[in-house]
Every structure is written in C-alpha cells, then in structure tokens.
Amino acid sequence: MKALVSRLDSFGDVLLAGPAVRAVAARADHVTLLCGPRGAPAARLLPGVDEVLVWDAPWGGFEPPDVSRDDIDALVERIDADTALVLTSFHQSPLPTALVLRLAGVRYIAADSVDYPGSLLDLRHRRAPDAHEAEAALDLAEAAGFPRPDDGRLLVRPTPPADALTGPGPYVVLHPGASVPARAWSPERCAEAVRELAAAGHRVLVTGGPDERGLTAHVAGAHGTDLGGRTEAPELAAVLAGASVVVTGNTAPAHLAAAVGTPVVSLFAPVVPAERWRPYGVPYVLLGDQDAPCADSRARDCPVPGHPCLNTVTATDVAAAVEKLMGET
C-alpha cells in the first residue's frame, strides 16, 4: 500500500502529525508526507516518512499563493498513493486537498470534516470536542484502519550532537520568537527572564531563526548565550534535547521540545485553545491568562492593548516554573 498523509500548515503542526504518520507507516509500504514549505523541515525529521512532497497550497499558510491551474496540475502528476489521510486543524476544511487527491487518483481518502464532502471523502470522521491536535490525528488514523503502534508521543529522528553549540554542563533554553506576534512574550520580559534564571544559577541559551538575530542578541544580553541563526531544524532539536527545560511560547520549538522529551514552560497566548495546542506528552507548566479577551480569536496580532494575556507573566513566574519542572524530572 502506498499512503499519503497531508498536513499543509507550519513546522509545529507537522510535528503534531508525527504519531499519526507512524500509525500509517506501521501498515503501509511507503508513506509520502504532503506539506507546505514552512512544515518541510519538520517533515524531514519524522520517523516513518519515506518521501516529503512540498507544495504551497492556496488555502493554507500566512501568505497563501494565488490559485494556479498549472501548479495544481503539476502536483496531481506527482502524487502516487492509494490511500490518504488529510490532517487539518479544527477550524480548517480538508475538502480542497481532498479534491486534489481525487484528481490524482487516490482511491481512499479520510479526513475530519464538519462540511458535507460529497464524493471527496470515503471516511468523513468527526473529531472529539476539544481534542488535542495530536490526539485528533491519531483518532482519524485509527478510524481509517491505522491503529496506534506505540505510545503516541511526539518523536523525531536521532539528532546530531550539539556540544559545539551548547558547551558543557546543564542549561535552560529560552526561545523568545513566535510564528505570529500575538503568541510572543515581549522582548523585555524575555531579557528579564534570562537575567533572573542566570541569577538563580542556570546557564541560559537563547535560540531563534536567522531573521531573529537582533531579538536573540537583545534577549541574551550579557547573561545568556546567543544562538540566534545558528540552528537549522536538526541542530535545534539537538539543542532542545539537551536542555533541562525549554521556555517558549505556543510556537514550533514547544512541539520540538516535546518531540525530544524535554519539559516545557509554555507562555501560552489564548488566541487558540490550550487544550488543543499545549505541549504534548511531556511535563509542562502553562503560563498566561487563558481567559483574556483575545481568547479563541485566532488573532495574529494582539487585539488588546498591552498584550495582557502574556505580559502579566513575570520573569519570577518563569523562573519558578523552571524550578518546578526541574524538581519533577
């Protein structure tokens, strides 16, 4: 059987699809993961994936491309699968992707859908209310004939040693950036947390992408180690795997930390529900006002002056959460 799993969102979304991908891989001869450009680095880390097919869908992402008949036709020609799972977030429709898969000749397609699918789906599944994204994907896989082969936690392939980046001895990672501004703790609060953690005797590494070097340098200051722009996905996984605790918002490194088994202090803005997107399968502490006026708004920019859901969290709160998690492991 040739199977395809589609998850067209971001890095963290693809990581959360990992347990379902392993369920499919346990029964299929070949597994293709269809993902968007932002999710591709995560797709290449997932066990069970034989082929990564990258496509920028006009119905996904932060800046979706225009619809192109030629582009869709080219994708249809590249798809070679008998069976497909279309994984989406709770607020997304799988039907556009299902249509493309039907045009590609995929015979059996399963997805969660609240919309009438016509002939686009063979299995129209309903996700459990408030199910975590990873659990929802596993439930769909099981309903489609792919039962869980393991404990269902997030996993990535083995990572290279990170000693050259981290140096010797224990450390805490603070990742100040986020995929959208509404999910980010302020740079000032992050810098305060680095100073507080350093004063408590922790060595603090500050991570970020190439476009976040200014942010990571500011946050690290004189008390942290700035790794901004120095870690591609495999290296970041290794750095997070070696950490005692990772401090980050609801963004990709939270899920990558969970995938390598590291506890997470989650600075969680309630623009999306925590029960669906919290760190999965590892010890965590959730910080942030989950009843703030922005709750469930899916806002990319904070709609409330002062960003109170996160900026009411103090550096002392974060340091206490780090100590709590370290005491439990």
Side-chain angles (χ1 to χ4, degrees), residues 125-270:
H125 188 254
R126 300 294 184 98
R127 69 165 62 201
D130 302 323
H132 193 282
E133 291 292 306
E135 286 288 343
L138 277 168
D139 289 346
L140 173 61
E142 187 162 17
F146 301 101
R148 304 182 186 207
D150 51 41
D151 63 8
R153 297 178 67 172
L154 306 188
L155 289 175
V156 293
R157 299 178 190 271
T159 57
D163 297 354
L165 288 168
T166 66
Y171 58 89
V172 171
V173 168
L174 191 148
H175 186 91
S179 55
V180 294
R183 301 184 190 182
W185 204 28
S186 75
E188 292 73 23
R189 283 278 197 265
C190 291
E192 290 170 7
V194 169
R195 293 194 294 270
E196 183 118 0
L197 289 166
H202 300 290
R203 197 160 59 91
V204 185
L205 310 185
V206 181
T207 56
D211 58 342
E212 295 174 320
R213 288 191 176 107
L215 172 63
T216 59
H218 169 75
V219 169
H223 301 276
T225 299
D226 179 13
L227 296 184
R230 298 176 61 189
T231 53
E232 297 294 334
E235 293 80 17
L236 180 59
V239 169
L240 300 182
S244 301
V245 177
V246 173
V247 180
T248 186
N250 175 31
T251 195
H255 305 304
L256 189 54
V260 295
T262 302
V264 179
V265 175
S266 177
L267 293 148
F268 201 101

Side-chain angles (χ1 to χ4, degrees), residues 61-83:
F62 296 136
E63 297 179 352
D66 293 335
V67 176
S68 164
R69 174 72 175 268
D70 290 342
D71 188 41
I72 292 174
D73 286 346
L75 176 65
V76 165
E77 291 299 317
R78 295 175 67 193
I79 291 171
D80 181 15
D82 313 303
T83 297

Side-chain angles (χ1 to χ4, degrees), residues 17-33:
V21 169
R22 298 199 307 275
V24 172
R27 295 289 183 96
D29 300 308
H30 185 277
V31 177
T32 298
L33 183 58

Side-chain angles (χ1 to χ4, degrees), residues 101-121:
L101 296 174
R102 276 288 188 245
L103 292 172
V106 179
R107 294 193 297 271
Y108 181 87
I109 304 173
D112 290 321
S113 183
V114 297
D115 300 315
Y116 174 62
S119 62
L120 297 180
L121 298 180

